[in-house]
Amino acid sequence: MHISADKVAEVIILARDARRGAPEMDQFINTLTEDEQAGLVAVFWIGRGSFDAAEYDEAYATAVNEASTPTTTYLGGSPHLADHLEAGMDALGVDVNAEEDDLYRSV
């Protein structure tokens, strides 16, 4: 993957916190590299069923080649962002819940 599980977990946590999450989530996503942002979109697409986990490389390449909207705008428009990211990580065999727990403990 082009993004670490802990960074995806951070976006999930921020996406679930409607009161403070949106501005902080946008700021966090904007600090990611272009590769990480494309990786985040690929995980999102896998989670919503647009691609299978085995098609991660294709999803990533599509995210890179078709990026025409800022990632924060694109992902921020999904009311199920956290759920899709979690499902995508699960499909990829990554236990994002453990990453979320680690982030909560460090706060």
Side-chain angles (χ1 to χ4, degrees):
M1 285 194 334
H2 294 85
I3 186 168
S4 65
D6 64 319
K7 290 181 179 180
V8 175
E10 181 74 24
V11 174
I12 291 169
I13 289 168
L14 292 170
R16 285 196 176 127
D17 187 351
R19 283 181 288 132
R20 73 173 178 93
E24 286 187 32
M25 183 181 72
D26 288 355
Q27 182 179 15
F28 181 78
I29 290 173
N30 285 331
T31 66
L32 300 175
T33 67
E34 288 181 18
D35 285 343
E36 289 172 325
Q37 289 183 27
L40 186 65
V41 171
V43 171
F44 170 76
W45 284 341
I46 290 168
R48 89 173 174 194
S50 299
F51 291 88
D52 292 331
E55 299 172 314
Y56 173 83
D57 290 336
E58 182 182 347
Y60 172 79
T62 302
V64 169
N65 293 327
E66 294 185 7
S68 60
T69 302
T71 304
T72 55
T73 302
Y74 179 72
L75 293 178
S78 172
H80 304 290
L81 174 60
D83 294 332
H84 291 320
L85 289 174
E86 198 166 83
M89 293 297 279
D90 186 51
L92 291 164
V94 178
D95 181 9
V96 76
N97 290 323
E99 296 293 335
E100 288 179 60
D101 291 345
D102 288 346
L103 288 170
Y104 279 124
R105 278 189 222 114
S106 68
V107 173

